[in-house]
Amino acid sequence: MSDQITLTLPDGSVREVPKGTTPLDVATSIGPRLAKESVGARFDDRDVDLRQPLTDSGAFRLITTRDAEAGPFLRHSAEHVLADAVKRLWPEVEIDAGRLDHSQKFQYDFRYPQAFTPEDLERIEAKMTEILAEDHEFERIEIGREEAKKLFLEMGETLKVERLKEIPEDETITLYRHGRFTDLCRGPHAQRLSQVKAIKLLDTGGVYWKGDERNEMLQRIYGTAFGSAKEMAAYLEAVEQARARDHRKLGAELDLYSFNAYAPASPFFHPKGSVLYVELMRWVQELYVEYGYAEVITPQILDKELWRISGHLDNYREAMFFTEMDERQFAVKPMNCPTHCLIYGTQLRSYRDLPIRYADFGRLHRYERSGVTSGLTRVRSFCQDDAHIFCTDEQIEPEVNASVDMLKEIYDTIGFEEMDIEISTRPEKSIGDAEIWKRAESALQEALRERDIPFRIAPGEGAFYGPKIDFHVQDALGRGWQLGTIQLDYFLPERFDLKYVGADGAEHRTVMLHRALLGSIERFIGILVEHTGGAFPVWLAPVQAVVLPLSEKVAEFAGSVHQRLLGAGVRAELDDRNEKLGYKIREAQVQKIPYMLVVGPREAEAGAVALRLRTGEDLGAVPIEEFLERFAQVSSSKSLEL
């Protein structure tokens, strides 16, 4: 066996190095400046520490402080500096774990009886700045399990001893040290502290240990870090924009929805929010007619045995709600798929009947831990634009293509211009034969390749019953969201014995596609609120126009304009309060109402309105009929313009 490995660099050149060579060794061999500026490396699409020995051949790239990919290395390093600072200020504090995802933030959880205050954060941040100035290098240390346990017991870090138990027996245990601070960590980290040029602590709060409310409460501190003050400023500006668009904040300001402790993580949609909800559903229902779907209605509570047959009881139990009636165990449905299988199975189908497309807006319930629920984006009670397609093997590709067309139509209409697609393959916890999984994964990949649609593979991220295509969009702030999904399933049809009679007169196993476009309507609305900042397209706006009379002298005319709008199908309000016009205009703009129709004596005499847009643009006097024509065109075309 060769003791050499081959590294393929970004320019296509190849370097042969001894096994055990570190990325820092490679950087040093290329040049001292590169070695000094390197913060980490990318090996076969995963981040690796500069001090980590390389044992296999593969694609290799060094990451320097100038690269955008340096961020996670710097934030992970700042994370350890945070823990170091807290320990220096409060030596009695115990450290738990940091964050897995360092794409934007870092965090640490601490065992400390008191909540950290804003003044505490200021002290910690100042101490972190001092530590960064010490410019220690990070040291990677491989250590035995018992030696690590002894070390952390001597340090009084009992939480770390518990975390050691979570590391698989065959995995290398590593510590990272800078200066006087040592912690259990997989890495990777930057080369030295001075590479972190800007830090900011963002927030603090209480969290349950390991996210379980049965465990003790720990204190968490969030922060972020960058390689320059300029990058930090840009990030904080983006955070401010996101805060202004936060759907929880805007939902209250626009009176769309609310939450109540009597129904944890389950939204209450107010009249205006219900308009948004219903309009989205109505739109999808229109597409169902166009794409050949039939809607069905199914029960919410079903016998536990159904979920045993479907595999959910073994693979999804922790996310389900259960109840008991007449000494029988029941479950509240977290998904519609088994109920659609029952409908399909009510009769023997012919190949001429296929494909059969069932759509269901049934309410679903899934248990999400209180620590992960968040506004509308992670709830326990929700509705999906959910559908299941029963078809033959030969129909998989055209059905996937039709679903992609449907998805693109929706996202283009909403204004999601960027879309990334990934195919998720068999997860560790799954059902069925490996060969059938390969067949299903290949079928999805071929369907996209036939249309030259680019995609990436997400290994092990499929549903427990089958591989899937997930569709990710970017919102107005450049943030990515996973929305639509198409999942290919050979196993539920087998478990429910779903068949069709083929052209040969024999019975064949049916194939099943799970498909959602918006995904959870609740989550989609949360994303849409933030994407638009609450300024919805005219066709979706809960209030599309408001009539603003200048005085009581034109009250009768204003009332007639209001009635005419309502008669033309405009969701309109009449604001005839005894307030100044400027005040009413500002309030309508805050409520994001697309059109403001101001009426005074001149407008009343001319049978017109003075039209203002929520953008502040004043279009002057417009005949009522002309406004209604404008409204009809913009609304029916689902335009993003006013």
Side-chain angles (χ1 to χ4, degrees):
M1 184 179 291
S2 173
D3 61 354
Q4 297 288 107
I5 58 173
T6 300
L7 304 179
T8 304
L9 304 184
D11 63 0
S13 62
V14 172
R15 281 186 171 249
E16 194 171 88
V17 298
K19 276 186 180 179
T21 297
T22 68
L24 189 55
D25 293 334
V26 177
T28 302
S29 69
I30 296 173
R33 181 175 177 181
L34 179 61
K36 182 179 179 181
E37 294 182 350
S38 294
V39 295
R42 180 69 56 83
F43 181 79
D44 280 352
D45 294 327
R46 61 185 175 88
D47 289 342
V48 293
D49 192 272
L50 285 172
R51 294 142 293 247
Q52 183 173 335
L54 300 172
T55 56
D56 297 299
S57 298
F60 178 84
R61 181 165 72 92
L62 288 160
I63 296 171
T64 72
T65 52
R66 298 187 302 274
D67 295 321
E69 297 90 340
F73 293 89
L74 301 176
R75 284 182 276 282
H76 198 169
S77 303
E79 191 170 76
H80 279 226
V81 176
L82 163 64
D84 186 4
V86 171
K87 288 291 288 185
R88 292 193 193 191
L89 291 168
W90 296 279
E92 71 276 16
V93 167
E94 278 195 57
I95 303 169
D96 185 33
R99 189 180 182 92
L100 292 176
D101 177 11
H102 296 94
S103 58
Q104 290 188 321
K105 297 179 182 179
F106 62 78
Q107 70 189 42
Y108 247 114
D109 295 345
F110 302 95
R111 176 182 272 165
Y112 188 54
Q114 299 172 324
F116 289 113
T117 66
E119 292 75 23
D120 290 334
L121 293 191
E122 289 179 9
R123 291 181 63 196
I124 296 167
E125 193 173 303
K127 183 60 69 174
M128 290 176 69
T129 301
E130 291 178 18
I131 296 170
L132 290 175
E134 295 172 4
D135 197 21
H136 294 291
E137 291 193 356
F138 279 94
E139 182 183 358
R140 181 179 182 273
I141 304 166
E142 294 188 8
I143 190 172
R145 187 177 300 271
E146 288 304 313
E147 187 182 354
K149 180 180 178 181
K150 180 182 176 183
L151 173 67
F152 286 115
L153 284 174
E154 290 174 353
M155 294 168 64
E157 299 287 356
T158 59
L159 294 177
K160 290 295 177 184
V161 176
E162 291 300 312
R163 291 292 184 180
L164 267 172
K165 299 175 183 177
E166 299 174 0
I167 301 175
E169 289 295 329
D170 60 348
E171 188 172 315
T172 301
I173 296 173
T174 56
L175 310 179
Y176 275 84
R177 177 184 296 149
H178 70 266
R180 295 177 287 167
F181 182 80
T182 303
D183 197 13
L184 178 70
C185 185
R186 291 186 178 92
H189 290 279
Q191 187 175 170
R192 58 188 181 278
L193 295 179
S194 63
Q195 290 175 322
V196 181
K197 301 294 186 183
I199 55 166
K200 178 70 176 176
L201 296 185
L202 302 171
D203 201 3
T204 182
V207 293
Y208 293 108
W209 188 50
K210 295 185 178 181
D212 190 335
E213 56 264 37
R214 294 168 297 185
N215 291 337
E216 66 176 302
M217 181 75 78
L218 303 179
Q219 302 301 318
R220 175 173 292 174
I221 296 175
Y222 298 92
T224 192
F226 291 89
S228 71
K230 183 179 179 180
E231 289 176 282
M232 174 70 80
Y235 170 79
L236 294 177
E237 172 62 25
V239 168
E240 280 305 308
Q241 288 188 35
R243 186 174 290 125
R245 289 172 177 252
D246 190 315
H247 75 276
R248 292 163 294 188
K249 171 178 173 286
L250 286 175
E253 291 175 358
L254 301 178
D255 195 23
L256 300 175
Y257 40 77
S258 62
F259 291 84
N260 194 288
Y262 285 111
S266 301
F268 291 74
F269 279 86
H270 301 193
K272 290 180 180 178
S274 295
V275 168
L276 193 61
Y277 204 105
V278 170
E279 286 298 319
L280 285 169
M281 286 180 59
R282 187 175 294 153
W283 177 35
V284 174
Q285 287 171 322
E286 291 172 0
L287 291 173
Y288 283 162
V289 175
E290 181 183 342
Y291 283 85
Y293 286 80
E295 281 195 67
V296 298
I297 300 172
T298 54
Q300 282 189 267
I301 300 176
L302 300 108
D303 194 293
K304 195 174 178 181
E305 176 64 11
L306 175 71
W307 306 103
R308 184 193 65 76
I309 295 170
S310 70
H312 287 86
L313 211 56
D314 292 331
N315 295 278
Y316 209 73
R317 179 193 295 265
E318 68 279 1
M320 297 174 67
F321 290 97
F322 296 93
T323 187
E324 185 175 331
M325 293 181 288
D326 302 327
E327 300 183 352
R328 289 173 64 188
Q329 293 290 318
F330 290 80
V332 183
K333 69 175 178 182
M335 300 178 183
N336 291 308
C337 24
T339 62
H340 293 185
C341 290
L342 294 180
I343 294 176
Y344 180 94
T346 57
Q347 56 186 279
L348 184 60
R349 313 287 178 169
S350 164
Y351 72 96
R352 294 187 180 91
D353 301 323
L354 304 183
I356 291 174
R357 308 178 187 94
Y358 293 144
D360 195 335
F361 283 108
R363 184 144 292 279
L364 306 176
H365 290 80
R366 298 178 188 173
Y367 175 67
E368 300 278 6
R369 293 187 182 277
S370 57
V372 300
T373 55
S374 176
L376 293 180
T377 57
R378 199 78 177 263
V379 294
R380 293 176 179 168
S381 173
F382 61 97
C383 171
Q384 287 181 321
D385 61 333
D386 193 17
H388 295 91
I389 302 165
F390 299 90
C391 62
T392 68
D393 272 299
E394 295 74 23
Q395 292 168 334
I396 290 173
E397 185 178 319
E399 288 303 312
V400 169
N401 285 335
S403 295
V404 171
D405 289 340
M406 210 170 170
L407 279 158
K408 293 183 76 171
E409 183 173 347
I410 285 178
Y411 299 163
D412 288 346
T413 301
I414 292 297
F416 292 134
E417 297 177 357
E418 298 290 332
M419 183 168 70
D420 291 322
I421 299 174
E422 67 181 14
I423 293 182
S424 300
T425 59
R426 187 180 190 180
E428 185 175 333
K429 194 174 185 180
S430 61
I431 60 175
D433 182 73
E435 286 304 313
I436 295 180
W437 271 88
K438 288 181 182 177
R439 177 177 156 199
E441 290 165 5
S442 296
L444 291 182
Q445 292 179 40
E446 282 306 309
L448 295 182
R449 286 196 184 105
E450 281 296 314
R451 294 185 59 181
D452 292 323
I453 296 175
F455 63 88
R456 63 178 180 271
I457 301 294
E461 295 297 319
F464 73 85
Y465 49 77
K468 58 180 180 170
I469 308 174
D470 284 332
F471 298 82
H472 300 257
V473 300
Q474 278 194 8
D475 66 12
L477 297 180
R479 299 170 302 180
W481 301 93
Q482 189 269 310
L483 291 180
T485 185
I486 302 170
Q487 303 172 2
L488 178 54
D489 186 354
Y490 284 99
F491 298 112
L492 280 188
E494 183 177 325
R495 287 180 169 234
F496 284 94
D497 195 25
L498 305 182
K499 301 174 181 176
Y500 68 92
V501 177
D504 58 359
E507 291 185 348
H508 300 269
R509 180 69 64 208
T510 309
V511 180
M512 187 175 179
L513 286 168
H514 307 244
R515 189 244 63 204
L517 307 171
L518 306 178
S520 155
I521 296 178
E522 284 76 1
R523 181 171 177 270
F524 186 84
I525 288 175
I527 294 167
L528 183 63
V529 168
E530 298 194 2
H531 176 61
T532 62
F536 304 111
V538 172
W539 68 279
L540 274 177
V543 179
Q544 295 166 318
V546 59
V547 181
L548 305 174
L550 275 174
S551 66
E552 290 184 6
K553 295 178 182 179
V554 292
E556 185 177 344
F557 176 69
S560 68
V561 171
H562 181 226
Q563 289 303 313
R564 188 167 178 187
L565 295 180
L566 294 176
V570 183
R571 292 189 290 273
E573 291 183 348
L574 172 63
D575 186 352
D576 55 2
R577 294 173 299 166
N578 186 25
E579 298 284 357
K580 291 182 178 180
L581 178 62
Y583 174 83
K584 292 194 283 189
I585 288 174
R586 283 192 299 275
E587 192 165 271
Q589 287 177 315
V590 168
Q591 289 297 304
K592 319 288 186 182
I593 298 173
Y595 302 118
M596 284 153 270
L597 281 56
V598 179
V599 295
R602 282 184 297 181
E603 287 76 23
E605 185 176 339
V609 295
L611 181 60
R612 297 179 64 98
L613 307 183
R614 67 182 169 208
T615 57
E617 188 177 356
D618 187 346
L619 300 184
V622 174
I624 297 172
E625 197 60 43
E626 184 178 321
F627 167 73
L628 290 176
E629 289 175 4
R630 177 192 186 112
F631 169 82
Q633 193 280 324
V634 170
S635 184
S636 63
S637 66
K638 294 182 172 56
S639 173
L640 297 174
E641 304 297 326
L642 296 179

